[in-house]
Amino acid sequence: MTRVAALADIHLGHPDAPGLDWALSALRDAAAQGADVLVLAGDLIDRNHADEATVTQTEQLLRQAASTGLPVMLTWGNHDISARLPERLPTVAGVTVAPRTSVLTLTTGTRETPGTTPRVLTVHMTSVDADPDPRRPVSGFPVADGPGPHLGILHTSLTGEYSRKPCLPTTVAELESRGYGRWILGHVHHRPPVTETIGWGGMGNLLVVDL
């Protein structure tokens, strides 16, 4: 079993968002729950409140995530890109950032537990590159093959019911065609159900899933 803990749509700086203290506490909770991998699925910052103090908070969040010693997977969301967050943040060792114009596939080991066989998780992810971003990148994600389980990470408006602007649109059928054990999505805040294996992380929620 591989345990993945995910945060999405933190929107640091927004007065109605849960805030940095909540996010740091959620990271501690993820480690306490035995997470093997941490996922940050986009919109770390709110584009309308992206002053330097909030950028500093975002860096603090990433450093706290890296300090857990767990692999950290990050995709940029549309608010991050609007706020030019990738250019404003220093590189944080231990955080793997999804590219903005291609799909990154990598394998990572899980936390070793005495008496168990370590497993490998294969992760596939890409980032938003513009706001809005009408590209349809899922056809460029490889079909599941090789070490598993497989996890896809995408900041997406899906077919658009929950979003005013297109953000890496796709369909459930297209996501399912890749054959992954789980898709963790960012962008939609209130976590409407999609399928048992496809879903948004949601604002103010620590999502923990076992693969």
Side-chain angles (χ1 to χ4, degrees), residues 144 149-151 179-183 196-197 211:
H150 288 251
L151 170 68
Y180 301 166
R182 184 80 187 199
W183 280 92
E196 289 185 359
T197 60
L211 297 174

Side-chain angles (χ1 to χ4, degrees), residues 103-158:
V103 177
L104 174 65
T105 294
L106 72 160
T107 57
T108 182
T110 64
R111 180 182 295 180
E112 294 188 25
T113 304
T116 65
T117 302
R119 298 187 67 192
V120 172
L121 176 70
T122 299
V123 179
H124 313 271
M125 58 183 183
T126 192
S127 286
V128 173
D129 188 45
D131 185 24
D133 193 338
R135 296 175 302 144
R136 303 184 65 93
V138 174
S139 61
F141 279 68
V143 174
D145 187 26
H150 288 251
L151 170 68
I153 308 169
L154 191 65
H155 196 87
T156 177
S157 60
L158 207 62

Side-chain angles (χ1 to χ4, degrees), residues 21-104:
D21 288 344
W22 174 85
L24 297 179
S25 177
L27 291 176
R28 292 190 291 269
D29 288 347
Q33 292 185 47
D36 297 297
V37 176
L38 295 177
V39 169
L40 300 172
D43 284 357
L44 303 182
I45 202 168
D46 190 83
R47 64 176 167 235
N48 296 318
H49 302 84
D51 58 18
E52 291 307 313
T54 310
V55 172
T56 298
Q57 286 189 355
T58 309
E59 181 183 355
Q60 184 179 348
L61 173 68
L62 295 183
R63 294 196 184 282
Q64 177 67 27
S67 74
T68 64
L70 301 173
V72 181
M73 309 295 165
L74 166 65
T75 63
W76 301 122
N78 56 304
H79 277 253
D80 303 321
I81 296 304
S82 289
R84 298 184 59 256
L85 189 59
E87 293 78 22
R88 297 167 70 184
L89 278 176
T91 299
V92 177
V95 177
T96 300
V97 180
R100 292 162 58 173
T101 58
S102 61
V103 177
L104 174 65

Side-chain angles (χ1 to χ4, degrees), residues 145-204:
D145 187 26
H150 288 251
L151 170 68
I153 308 169
L154 191 65
H155 196 87
T156 177
S157 60
L158 207 62
T159 50
E161 300 94 324
Y162 306 101
S163 181
R164 291 175 296 176
K165 299 177 182 179
C167 187
L168 302 185
T170 184
T171 65
V172 171
E174 193 173 34
L175 294 173
E176 289 180 334
S177 73
R178 304 298 94 184
Y180 301 166
R182 184 80 187 199
W183 280 92
I184 292 177
L185 310 180
H187 190 62
V188 174
H189 295 177
H190 57 285
R191 299 181 62 219
V194 181
T195 72
E196 289 185 359
T197 60
I198 301 171
W200 285 283
M203 179 186 283

